[in-house]
Amino acid sequence: MKKTLILTVAIVFGLALMLGGAPADVQAKTTFVTIGTGGITGVYYPTGGAIAKMVNAKRDMYGIRATVESTGGSAFNINAVMAGDLEFGVAQSDRQFQAFNGTEGSEWAGKPQPDLRAVFSIHAETVDLIASADSGINTIQDLKGKRINIGNFGSGFRQNAIDALEANGLNYETDFMAENLAAPEAPGLIQDGRIDAAFYTVGHPSGYYKEATAGKTKVKFIPIPNADKIAAKYPYYAPARTLMSHYPGAANTEEYVETFGVKATFVTSAQVPDEVVYAITKEVFDNFDQFVKLHPAYEGLTKEDMLKGLSAPIHPGAMKYYKEAGLMK
Ligand code: GLU
């Protein structure tokens, strides 16, 4: 009995080694890092996966094993990184700005996050509003009296929705029935007629809008007017367009809808060691051509773009790489 057990253990152990289990000394040195992303139908989730893939490919060299977690989005990620629960997070550029500066009106008002560090920017995101054709919503003003998802509290897009509404004279507390749902829930609820419209801030193309525009209920993108006014009031917003070519199932006939946008950024904490941040930065930038092929939302992205839109200080581990690569002085 005992002998069989020992033999089984020996076989299992031997098999594990044969199947590529790392030698004991490498395993002992493995640094596990987790990247906070967003809902699985967004672009943050595959983005975390793309970044993890780049550094995990060199596991033998760095001893880093990166994994990805689906989360409630930007605000959750920043707070989890600051609490030390996650090492990295994907977060909207506007949220990075607000958290580092403790901006009035944001959830970090009076609570700036001096340890927040920028690593790089990634794809562009637009703030969009979709509505079911049955809801009769054709303009943002038509939201009055309807049931609208403005987003969960940990998300980045909830504040974008509130800012878009305010710039157009609407108040989510009094003008309609606001839902606080995480983004992935909204497409199904629109399809079932349980909500009329929903906001979301995401790169394109995304699984979220593909799902929302692929069902029986026709769904339409509604323009968000006054982008100039919004961009003049807040330093982190810029006017933007959402191209309808990404979503052939949408009920829109125009080429694009007008709105405003932000950037997805990759953030960490000053507490995360330089060599870990350096390794991730180096693998993404040194293998840039391979990286940009990992998601269609990165189309047209350049290395220079990835150094724009950062408001927190750049982490010294990332800075070391940018100087070595001649991307920064
Ligand atoms: N920008 C969204 C947020 O932070 C997440 C988008 C995504 O997951 O791609 O709420």
Side-chain angles (χ1 to χ4, degrees):
M1 185 70 183
K2 213 172 174 187
K3 247 189 190 160
T4 330
L5 186 70
I6 290 167
L7 191 66
T8 315
V9 169
I11 290 173
V12 168
F13 193 67
L15 259 178
L17 277 179
M18 263 168 52
L19 294 173
D25 61 325
V26 170
Q27 229 151 35
K29 276 188 264 159
T30 300
T31 305
F32 291 90
V33 298
T34 307
I35 303 170
T37 61
I40 58 164
T41 54
V43 180
Y44 286 6
Y45 187 69
T47 290
I51 295 168
K53 187 184 159 93
M54 305 314 292
V55 71
N56 288 342
K58 298 277 177 67
R59 185 173 175 176
D60 289 351
M61 191 172 152
Y62 299 117
I64 295 172
R65 170 89 182 124
T67 53
V68 168
E69 199 175 285
S70 170
T71 72
S74 296
F76 176 92
N77 294 340
I78 290 174
N79 292 333
V81 166
M82 291 295 87
D85 295 335
L86 296 174
E87 284 71 33
F88 294 93
V90 188
Q92 291 175 201
S93 48
D94 52 325
R95 306 310 236 146
Q96 183 188 133
F97 180 100
Q98 294 164 356
F100 184 73
N101 295 298
T103 304
E104 230 22 75
S106 77
E107 44 267 80
W108 298 281
K111 286 181 286 177
Q113 302 296 318
D115 270 0
L116 185 62
R117 292 291 176 270
V119 185
F120 46 74
S121 288
I122 323 159
H123 55 280
E125 300 186 271
T126 56
V127 181
D128 289 292
L129 171 64
I130 49 167
S132 65
D134 307 342
S135 69
I137 297 169
N138 290 302
T139 73
I140 198 167
Q141 296 301 329
D142 298 333
L143 294 180
K144 285 182 195 135
K146 307 282 186 190
R147 192 173 286 275
I148 324 294
N149 186 35
I150 62 164
N152 58 301
F153 287 91
S155 73
F157 71 95
R158 183 182 169 88
Q159 191 61 47
N160 306 145
I162 294 171
D163 293 341
L165 291 160
E166 196 215 354
N168 286 286
L170 292 164
N171 181 336
Y172 73 96
E173 286 168 315
T174 51
D175 289 329
F176 55 79
M177 282 160 287
E179 297 285 352
N180 312 320
L181 306 165
E185 293 184 55
L189 294 174
I190 291 185
Q191 281 299 322
D192 296 346
R194 288 198 282 158
I195 60 173
D196 300 301
F199 283 93
Y200 191 31
T201 304
V202 71
H204 303 285
S206 70
Y208 173 95
Y209 287 119
K210 284 189 180 163
E211 184 188 344
T213 56
K216 247 174 100 184
T217 303
K218 282 284 157 211
V219 166
K220 200 174 162 182
F221 283 78
I222 309 297
I224 300 179
N226 289 315
D228 288 341
K229 192 170 136 188
I230 296 170
K233 183 165 177 190
Y234 304 102
Y236 38 73
Y237 289 145
R241 289 171 171 178
T242 304
L243 300 183
M244 293 300 100
S245 55
H246 291 303
Y247 308 108
N252 301 69
T253 50
E254 63 274 45
E255 212 181 310
Y256 57 83
V257 296
E258 305 265 14
T259 181
F260 62 102
V262 294
K263 271 179 133 183
T265 73
F266 195 52
V267 299
T268 189
S269 160
Q271 307 303 324
V272 173
D274 290 6
E275 54 275 20
V276 174
V277 182
Y278 174 83
I280 293 187
T281 309
K282 181 173 168 66
E283 290 315 311
V284 168
F285 279 78
D286 277 0
N287 303 293
F288 187 73
D289 295 345
Q290 195 192 328
F291 175 76
V292 293
K293 284 193 196 109
L294 294 177
H295 198 285
Y298 311 151
E299 201 193 305
L301 192 68
T302 67
K303 289 184 181 180
E304 289 71 25
D305 288 339
M306 292 181 77
L307 299 178
K308 291 181 194 148
L310 307 172
S311 42
I314 295 178
H315 190 286
M319 191 52 107
K320 180 178 173 229
Y321 174 78
Y322 297 140
K323 284 187 175 161
E324 264 175 28
L327 289 162
M328 274 189 184
K329 289 223 173 90

